[in-house]
Structure formats: C-alpha cells, structure tokens
C-alpha cells in the first residue's frame, strides 16, 4: 500500500487473517527446524521431573551434577516446578545418563514424555499493559474496568487512575491487543498498547527514513524477512513497531536484517516500553500545563473586569461603552469565555460525551454540565437583554474559573504521577543503554567486540564489562575477576568479589577489573526487570479500602445531578410562592436565575475526583518510597494487611541468623584421630551443596592445610580443587537425605553424617556420653552433627550459625510496636530455645519441616489474626504464601517475588520494622486523604445548595465552588506526596534509648 506522509502502516501480508493463519502454520513447522537438533547438530532438549528437592541447595546440587556431564550443553533446574530442563549432545549422552546423574546426586528422576516438550506450544493467557488516557475519577476507572472485563477472552482487568494505565490478562487466541485498545477507545478514552509478557514485539526508533522511497525500502526489507508477522512505521515520530515470531526470529535478528538490508543507511535504536510510557506521561503533563496556562491567562482579564476595573473609572467607562446591542465588557467576556469553554475545555465535552455514550457518568460530565449551564444562561441573559432591555446578571466568570481550577488539579495529578514513578525511573536507568558483545569464532576464541543495544542481548551472549561500567544483564563470569557494587539492587554497600563462575546481576557496577560474562537472563527475566514489574504491579493494585471509594463514585455523580435538579426546583418553587423576600434576588435577576446559581454550585463542588485519588496516590507514593528504601511492596492489599499485623513468624536459619555456618567443635568417641575423622566427614560432605556441608569441608581443609580460605565457608571453586587434589577419600553411592543428612560408601563401608533421626533409622546406637555432648552443644545454641562409620558412631561436630547483629534489637522493637514475634525452625528444640532466648522470642516452634511451616502460620490465623512470615524466600515459600503478609528477606530470586508480598532487598531484619511502619504511615495518610476528599463535599454541598442562606446569609458562588472542588483534589495529592518525606524509623526511637 502506498504510505502516507504522516505515517505508514506496514503489514507484511498479515492484514489478511487467512494468510496470517497460513503463515502461522508455516512458522509452526519451522519450529522443529530451528530447534537444537539442527542448530547444534545432534543436540536435544528434554525435561526431567525431579523429586526430593527441598531448597535452593538441592536444586544447585542437581544443576551442578548435570553440568558436570560431558555433553551437556545447558541445564537449569526449577525448584518449585520440580523440573530440570536439559540440552545435551545425543552423540555423547542418552536420556538414561541424564536420569542416572540426577539419581546419583540423591534425588529421584523421571524423563517427561516428548509430547510435553516438543511440538506446538499451547497458547495460554498473556498479561498486557495499556495506557488509558482521559480518566479523571473513580467512576472512569469503574467504567473502563467493567467494559474490559466483559470482553470475550479477557480473564482479568485492573485499571489504575493514578498511573493512567491498565493491566489485562487475556487469551490471545480469542482477543488481540488491538481489540482491547479499540474497546478502550470505544468506551470514550485514549488507549494504546505498551507491552506484554509475550516476547514477540520490538519498538525501534529509525533514523534515516527521509522520503517515501526510504519508507518503501524499509517496507520491502521487513516484508522479505522470514518470521516478521506485522509492522507499523510512524514517519512523524520515526517509531517502528515490529511483531515477529520468536520461534523464528529474535529481536537482534530483526535489527540486523534492517541494517544489513539498508546497507547501514538506517540507524536503529531500541525503545524501552518504560521509556515510551514515560514520554507519554511527559507529553500528557505538558499538554495539561499548556491548557492550564492558556485558561489562566484568559481568566485573568475576566477577574480584572469584575473585581478591579469598577474601581478604575477610565477602564470601567470603556467596559460600559455600548458597541452594538451589548456593552464592550459583555463582548469581551463572551469572546474570552467562548475560547475557554469550547477550545480549551473541548476535552471535557469529548470525555463527557464518551462517558454518557457508554452509560456512565464521571467528573467530566459534572464539569461539562456546570460550565455549560452557566455559559448558556449567560448568553441567553445577554440575548434576552438585547431584545427586551431587561438586563440580567451574567456568570461567564464561573465557566472560566471552573475550567481553570479543574485543569490545575489535573496538572497537579500529573506531577504527582511523575513523582511517584521516580522509583521505576531509577530502576530503569540502572540498565546501561549499550553493551559490548564478544563475537567468537567456531573454536570459541574471541575475534572482535562490537557495541549493541542492551535490549538486544540474548541468553548465551558473552559480554565484556569494563571497569566502572554497569553490568548489562544477569549472567555468569566466564573470565576475569573484579569487585562489583550491588548496592543499587541488594542494598549491601560492601563491594563483592566476582571471579569465574560467580553470578552477577544486571544494573550493578563493575568497579576495577575487566570481566567477561555469559548472559543467562535477559529482558523480563532479569532480577532488575522483576523488581520493576513488582513495583509496577504494586502501583497498579488497589487496597481493599479503595472499594469503598469506587462504590461511592459509582452512585455519586447521578446523586449529585439529582440533588442539583432538586435544588433548582426547590428554590424556584419557593420563590414563586413567596417563601423568601425579593431582596435576596441579585440585581436585575429573577427566581430562576437565583435558583440556577445554587444548582450550578452543587454540581461543581460535588465532583468525586478527590475521592478517587485518595487511595491510589498514597499507594503509589508508598511503593516508590519503599523501593527507594530497599522494601519492595507487592500491592495495596499487602499494605492494608501489614498495618494490622499481630504476629511476625521468623525462620531461624538465614533469617535471624547469618546463614554462614562455622564448625566450632569436633570430638571423636572411638579413638580415631581427629585428622582421620575430619577427612572422612569432609569426603562424605564434598558432594553436598548444603551450607553445613560447606562449613564442614572448610573446617577440615583448614585443619589439614591451615588454609585461610576456610573463612569463606567454602566455595564451589574450593570444592572442585578438593576433588582434584586427592586429599579426600573416594566416595561411592552418595545420597543426600533431605532434612536428616547424607550417606555414602568409603572403602566399601557406610558412612552417615546427620542428625539423631538418621542414626536411629540406620540402627546406630547413641551412647550416653555422645548424647550428653550433643545436648551441651544444643543448649549453647549450636547444632550437633553426628557421624557414624561402619555402623559405629565415631564422632560429633558442633556447628554454630551466628545471629545477625540486629536480630535482638529488632525483636524488641517489634514488641514495642505491639507485634508478637515467633520463631519457627527445623532445628531441634534445645538449639531453637537457646537461639530464641538469645534474641528475646518467647514463642518457639522447632523440629518443623519446610512444608510444616505453613501449618504453623495457619495455626496463628485461626482466631482471625493477621500473620506475617519472614523467611529467605526459598524453602520457606509455602509459609510465605500461606501468611497474610509474606516477607522474603535477602531477595533477588524468582521464588521470593512469587511467594511474598514484601521483598526486603537489603537482607537486614530492620526492614521488617520499616515495612510495618511504612504500611501504618501509609494507611494513616489514606484515612487523612478521605477526610480531605469527603470534608469538602459533606460540608460544602449544603452550603452550595443554600441550606444556610436563609439563617446565616451564606452562599457559595459557582466560581468559589469550583475553587473548593479543585482544592480538595490538590489537598489529597499534596497529602499523598508528603509520604515522600518518609524516613525509616530509628531503633533508638522505637526502643526509647537515650544515646549520650
């Protein structure tokens, strides 16, 4: 099709649905051709069900076992799904080898059927984000939500007034993104698609398209690119939207195809959806500001003509100069107000007509009714005076002032929206714009480094990170070593050493050395993107208290219109029967004019705009403030529950304690030398990924070699070196037994390392001497690890996990706040009691397996109490999900974000107090906002209706009513913005400690 000058719609044969369907089938057939079988020549992907995993250490153990196999190309293990995804070379390995490797690691494995991993992928639901412009109050939100939820294929729809956006979960096989946008626009609002969780779209800014011929060249390139489904180029903005099949193309392939096809003439820059959304917000803010300033400048002369000019004879005589049928002042007022009413105020008429067309009413309807009534009456009064010579007062100023005040309130809302999005903007800015891609030859040697857009990074890419540069994606260090500052993500200020095989987080800063990293997670899968998504979701969410505002708004506008009509009728009838003196009437006025002014004031002042802003603005500010303080909040409902928390249940290991276990005692009971004993235990634990195993291995290494690396509690690199050095015994039939220990064979003899239960299950006798020693360890807050070799209990290790330095103070602080702390642990009762006594917790639940922690949470919920669970977000996930408020401490993992309502990024227990305190402060602010929102209406509506005029002589002119209405919105927004001044509570204040 021939492109237009303003924009070009480019759809490569996808405009016809039948052709698109054919293309889809063809692309579906291409999926197998593009699989690992073809790309890697004999490579294959399978999925394996893995049972027995209980924590991250288990999943890491399985993943390490798989990656150690010669022929495995990639392996990833999902703890929650109990699955492993493995890509391997079929020439070197078989399916059975994969299964055996997992079982050798101590877990059960079953190869999933081929039908579950290959072939056509069934289409599920997608979650799309859309901008919705033109919403002004809660009634608008209810209208849009109702329309979206009734669309076929839409399963869930949430609309946020404060962010002018909506999130829709829909079935793409039933309804498309364009259909949803059309539904939004048909409902009377401006709609546009931002992004979805389907990685099939890229937004590019194209530089170099200057003519119709250039546009046709671009169309030809895209039309001939295999896998491109649809595209649209806007020649005015230079933006190109490309929809492609992710099974055939990647976003980088699209960019490369355009640049190569144009011989480098077209320069492409990837547009982030967040940047695009921010630019729309800026454009909306600037538009509203321009309209407000225009209305203000035109309203100032009206104010001068009414208030100032009567006191200046020269100007007043000019206004009284008759020009045709009207005075010069009347002509000027009519002209100025007509521009304000129909040019500047056009947006209110458009929005009101759309709302009425859809059977709903909103703030725009009230503004349109109020301003039109005063404008039409004023025009009719002028015309009536010209025809009869009876000149009634006009109220042109009312229309002008009302529109000006409404625009001022809307502008302040836009500013508030921009300020509350600061947290997202800061997070987006953490990711660098470009990255250095290391291109390798077939032999794996680096041959060149080229700069690419960071949004085009793909999993498996090797990236070069220079000193001082931001790490562009989540990945693994493959070469080099350096210190990395991760404070912007984790909140920890101390730089962390990164060497080969260490994981890095996108957005963090490389401080000193050069690193090569292999990207493992890109796009929406990165930690940073998940954090951004979490903050966005929180700002989109509605607190339960918002339902009250939505309900009131749904019935408010019709009630106000009815009340205004009753006011008009009441005053008019009262005047007609002589119920009030004629002196009350304005100069040259009549009973209808007198009644009309009361009616207009009621319509204007009763706008529910502030009511709709009371909760979402506060929630938006709170989530942004929380993110800046390292506390990520999942939504308004989480805020609402957290401020009513009665019990906080703490996991012990890694939450109250540092999670860095160290061996503090080692004793033998059979005469075996300590060195020999430690060598046996270390050999057995070398294959385990459990933190206690690493502590034991580090202790044994230090004992034998006086190696200071023991201070690090052992690393994967140390374990690999131990295996290669030969100082450990050869181990066979190793098996990890979740919750009780490990077992294996050394020199054909069984060795058991674990707790009492492991010994009892294997018939190992525990002597009184051993039992007393273990009890002594447990009563001093240490964990006793029993070791049996050849069916004889050989010795015991004592392991301590130091408490976090802030633990006891935080527990005391919670108690001062009226919250009861509880500790739950899988450890034994003696150790649990000792730890609880040290931190000051009275209620302890010990010897609880990971799955049983959720039952502990439920037991506290039986009486209706609100319960918070604080855990590490991995094996505590069932309890985090069961709690009313889940708080994942030391976050940055997928499971923490999924299971918890609060994510405490700094791995600091003080943030538990911050989370609860911020929630309480936020809901105090919301309640105050409702006072601001409702007080004006409750107090001012009777005044506007003239209830107090007969007794007190008080009335509210329409333009004053408009000012009060705008002031209510301004008060609510400013009240919410004051939350940005929130400071995390000082423990010295909570505990009332006097510091000298």
């Amino acid at each position: 099709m021939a492109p237009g000058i303003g924009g070009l719609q480019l759809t490569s044969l996808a405009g016809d649905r039948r052709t698109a369907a054919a293309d889809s089938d063809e692309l579906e057939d291409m999926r197998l051709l593009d699989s690992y079988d073809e790309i890697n020549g004999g490579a294959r992907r399978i999925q394996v069900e893995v049972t027995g995993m209980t924590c991250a250490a288990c999943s890491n153990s399985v993943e390490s076992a798989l990656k150690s196999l010669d022929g495995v190309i990639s392996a990833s293990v999902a703890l929650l799904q109990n699955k492993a995804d493995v890509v391997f070379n079929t020439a070197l390995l078989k399916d059975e080898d994969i299964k055996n490797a997992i079982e050798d690691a101590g877990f059960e494995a079953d190869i999933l059927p081929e039908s579950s991993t290959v072939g056509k992928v069934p289409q599920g639901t997608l979650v799309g984000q859309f901008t919705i412009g033109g919403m002004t109050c809660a009634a608008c939100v209810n209208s849009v939500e109702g329309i979206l939820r009734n669309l076929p294929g839409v399963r869930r729809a949430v609309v946020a007034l404060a962010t002018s956006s909506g999130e829709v979960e829909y079935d793409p096989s039933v309804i498309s993104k364009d259909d949803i946008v059309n539904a939004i626009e048909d409902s009377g609002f401006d709609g546009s698609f931002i992004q979805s969780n389907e990685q099939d779209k890229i937004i590019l800014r194209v530089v170099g398209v200057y003519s119709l011929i250039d546009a046709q060249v671009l169309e030809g390139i895209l039309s001939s690119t295999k896998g491109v489904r649809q595209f649209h180029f806007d020649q005015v903005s230079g933006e190109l939207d490309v929809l492609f099949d992710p099974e055939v193309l990647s976003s980088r392939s699209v960019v490369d195809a355009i640049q190569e096809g144009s011989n480098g003439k077209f320069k492409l820059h990837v547009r982030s959806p967040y940047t695009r959304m921010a630019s729309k917000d800026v454009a909306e803010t600037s538009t509203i500001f321009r309209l407000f300033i225009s209305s203000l400048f035109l309203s100032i002369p009206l104010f001068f003509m009414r208030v100032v000019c009567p006191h200046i004879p020269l100007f007043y005589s000019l206004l009284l100069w008759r020009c045709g049928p009207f005075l010069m002042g009347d002509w000027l007022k009519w002209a100025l107000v007509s521009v304000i009413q129909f040019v500047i105020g056009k947006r209110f008429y458009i929005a009101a007509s759309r709302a009425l067309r859809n059977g709903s009413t909103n703030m725009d309807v009230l503004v349109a009714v109020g301003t039109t009534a005063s404008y039409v009456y004023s025009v009719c009064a002028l015309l009536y005076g010209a025809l009869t010579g009876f000149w009634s007062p006009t109220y042109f100023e009312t229309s002008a002032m009302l529109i000006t005040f409404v625009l001022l309130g809307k502008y302040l809302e836009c500013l508030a929206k921009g300020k509350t999005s600061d947290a997202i903007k800061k997070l987006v800015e953490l990711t660098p714009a470009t990255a250095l891609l290391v291109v390798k030859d077939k032999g794996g040697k680096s041959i060149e480094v080229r700069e690419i857009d960071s949004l085009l990074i793909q999993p498996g890419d090797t990236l070069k990170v220079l000193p001082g540069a931001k790490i562009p994606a989540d990945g693994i260090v493959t070469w080099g070593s350096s210190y990395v500052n991760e404070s912007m993500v984790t909140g920890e200020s101390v730089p962390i050493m990164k060497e080969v095989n260490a994981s890095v987080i996108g957005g963090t800063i490389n401080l000193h050395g050069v690193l090569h990293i292999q990207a493992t997670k890109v796009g929406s899968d990165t930690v940073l993107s998940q954090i951004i998504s979490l903050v966005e979701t929180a700002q989109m969410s509605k607190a339960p208290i918002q339902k009250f505002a939505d309900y009131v708004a749904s019935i408010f506008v019709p009630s106000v219109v009815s009340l205004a009509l009753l006011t008009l009728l009441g005053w008019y009838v009262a005047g007609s029967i002589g119920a009030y003196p004629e002196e009350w009437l304005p100069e040259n006025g009549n009973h209808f004019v007198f009644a009309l002014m009361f009616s207009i004031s009621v319509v204007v002042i009763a706008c529910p705009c502030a009511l709709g802003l009371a909760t979402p603005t506060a929630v938006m500010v709170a989530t942004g403030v929380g993110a800046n303080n390292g506390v990520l909040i999942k939504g308004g409902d989480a805020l609402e529950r957290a401020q009513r928390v009665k019990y906080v249940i703490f996991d012990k290991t890694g939450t109250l304690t540092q999670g860095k276990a160290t061996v503090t005692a080692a004793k033998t009971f059979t005469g075996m030398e300590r060195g020999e004993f430690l060598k046996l235990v270390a050999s057995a634990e070398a294959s385990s990924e459990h933190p206690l195993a690493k502590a034991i291995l580090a202790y044994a290494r230090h004992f034998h070699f006086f190696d200071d690396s023991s201070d690090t509690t052992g690393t994967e690199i140390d374990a690999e070196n131990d295996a290669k050095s030969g100082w450990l015994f050869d181990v066979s039939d190793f098996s990890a037994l979740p919750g009780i220990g490990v077992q294996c064979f050394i020199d054909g003899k069984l060795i058991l390392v674990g707790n009492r239960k492991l010994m009892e299950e294997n018939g190992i006798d525990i002597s009184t001497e051993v039992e007393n020693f273990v009890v002594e360890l447990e009563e001093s807050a240490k964990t006793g690890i029993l070791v049996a070799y050849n069916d004889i209990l050989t010795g015991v290790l004592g392991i301590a996990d130091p408490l976090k330095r802030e633990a006891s103070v935080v527990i005391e602080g919670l108690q001062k706040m009226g919250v009861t702390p509880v500790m739950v642990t899988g450890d034994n009762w003696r150790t649990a009691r000792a730890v609880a006594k040290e931190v000051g917790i009275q209620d302890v639940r010990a010897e609880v397996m990971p799955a049983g922690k959720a039952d502990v949470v439920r037991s506290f919920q039986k009486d209706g109490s609100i319960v918070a669970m604080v855990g590490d977000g991995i094996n505590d996930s069932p309890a985090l999900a069961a709690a009313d408020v889940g708080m994942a401490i030391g976050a940055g993992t997928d499971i923490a974000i999924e299971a918890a309502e609060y994510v405490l990024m700094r791995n600091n227990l003080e943030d538990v107090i911050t989370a609860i305190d911020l929630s309480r402060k936020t809901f105090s602010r919301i309640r105050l906002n409702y006072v601001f929102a409702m007080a004006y209406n409750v107090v001012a509506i009777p005044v506007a209706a003239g209830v107090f005029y007969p007794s007190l002589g008080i009335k509210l002119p329409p333009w004053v009513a408009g000012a009060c209405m705008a002031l209510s919105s301004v008060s609510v927004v400013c009240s919410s913005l004051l939350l940005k001044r929130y400071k995390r509570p000082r423990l010295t204040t909570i505990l009332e400690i006097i510091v000298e």
Side-chain angles (χ1 to χ4, degrees), residues 1-19:
M1 59 181 285
I5 299 298
L8 178 65
Q9 178 71 32
L10 307 175
T11 53
S12 60
L13 302 179
D16 181 39
R17 292 187 180 272
R18 290 172 297 179
T19 307

Side-chain angles (χ1 to χ4, degrees), residues 5 35 71 110 136 177 329 356 430 519 534 564 608 647 669 750 756 963:
I5 299 298
S35 67
D110 288 304
T136 54
K177 298 182 279 279
L356 293 173
L430 289 179
L534 182 59
Y647 296 99
F669 295 90
L750 177 65
R756 291 184 183 86

Side-chain angles (χ1 to χ4, degrees), residues 489-755:
V489 175
T490 65
E492 295 292 335
S493 58
V494 180
I496 300 173
M497 182 65 179
K498 299 293 183 180
E499 296 179 317
V500 175
N501 293 329
S503 60
V504 291
I505 302 173
T508 56
I509 300 175
N510 178 30
L511 296 180
H512 302 299
V514 176
L515 295 176
H516 282 191
I517 68 166
Q518 184 178 44
T520 56
K521 293 182 178 180
V522 300
S524 60
D525 294 329
T526 64
V527 169
L528 193 58
S529 293
Q530 289 176 346
I531 295 173
I532 293 172
S533 177
L534 182 59
V535 175
E536 277 195 320
T537 301
Q539 293 185 343
M540 284 283 298
S541 68
K542 293 183 179 180
I545 196 172
Q546 178 68 22
K547 295 178 181 178
F548 166 73
D550 292 345
Y551 171 74
V552 172
S554 65
I555 63 174
F556 203 77
V557 176
S559 301
V560 167
V561 174
S562 300
L563 179 61
L565 292 175
L566 288 175
T567 301
L568 174 63
L569 183 62
W571 278 106
Y572 181 72
V573 171
S576 300
I577 64 175
Y580 57 81
E582 297 290 329
E583 289 79 11
W584 287 8
L585 299 179
E587 185 180 356
N588 296 330
N590 55 36
H591 295 295
F592 177 78
V593 174
F594 187 62
L596 181 63
M597 290 305 98
F598 285 116
S599 178
I600 292 175
S601 294
V602 170
V603 170
V604 170
I605 203 167
C607 176
C609 183
L611 192 66
L613 292 170
T615 298
T617 53
V619 170
M620 281 190 65
V621 175
T623 52
V625 168
N628 288 334
N629 284 278
V631 178
L632 299 183
I633 307 166
K634 204 161 190 176
D637 53 346
L639 276 167
E640 198 275 338
R641 290 194 298 270
Q643 52 107 20
R644 297 188 290 115
V645 164
K646 183 177 180 180
Y647 296 99
V648 175
I649 300 177
F650 290 91
D651 173 53
K652 178 177 78 71
T653 305
T655 303
L656 288 172
T657 66
Q658 296 178 11
K660 298 178 180 179
T662 55
V663 177
T664 60
K667 185 175 182 179
T668 60
F669 295 90
T670 60
M672 180 183 290
E673 290 185 358
R674 182 179 297 185
E676 185 74 5
F677 169 70
L678 291 175
K679 188 175 180 180
L680 277 172
V681 180
S683 300
E685 294 285 9
S687 299
S688 174
E689 290 292 327
H690 198 281
L692 296 184
K694 294 183 179 180
I696 294 171
L697 190 60
Y699 182 82
R701 186 189 308 110
H702 182 265
F703 183 88
H704 280 274
F705 303 109
F706 298 98
D707 183 3
D708 288 338
S709 65
S710 62
D711 294 337
T712 65
T713 71
T715 63
E716 292 184 11
I717 299 174
D718 294 328
E720 291 176 4
N721 292 337
D722 290 335
K724 295 176 182 177
S725 63
W727 75 277
L728 297 176
F729 293 117
D730 292 331
V731 172
S732 61
D733 297 329
F734 173 84
S735 177
L737 307 172
I740 56 175
V742 300
Q743 68 179 27
C744 62
F745 287 88
I746 297 178
D747 293 333
K749 299 175 182 178
L750 177 65
I751 181 168
L752 303 170
V753 183
N755 56 21

Side-chain angles (χ1 to χ4, degrees), residues 56-123:
C58 300
S59 61
N60 290 339
S61 178
V62 175
E63 196 165 297
S64 298
L66 291 171
K67 290 181 177 178
S68 65
L69 292 176
D70 186 21
V72 169
I73 299 170
S74 68
S76 61
V77 179
L79 176 65
L80 282 184
Q81 287 78 22
N82 290 317
K83 286 183 181 179
D85 186 275
V86 188
V87 179
F88 62 96
N89 191 329
T90 54
L92 300 176
L93 290 172
K94 297 180 180 179
D95 295 7
E96 202 64 22
D97 298 327
I98 303 294
K99 179 180 179 181
N100 292 337
I102 296 174
E103 290 176 343
D104 290 342
F107 303 88
E108 296 180 4
D110 288 304
I111 307 295
L112 293 174
E114 289 288 327
S115 58
S116 66
T117 58
V118 297
K120 293 189 176 182
V121 180
Q123 283 190 313

Side-chain angles (χ1 to χ4, degrees), residues 839-883:
V839 297
I841 294 179
Q842 303 298 321
D843 197 338
V844 182
R845 308 298 167 95
E847 297 181 1
V848 180
M849 295 296 287
K853 293 180 182 180
D855 295 329
V856 174
V857 170
R858 296 186 188 99
S859 68
F860 283 94
Q861 294 172 324
K862 287 182 179 179
D863 62 352
S865 298
I866 301 298
V867 179
M869 171 71 193
V870 185
D872 61 12
I874 304 298
N875 53 2
D876 298 319
S877 58
L880 288 169

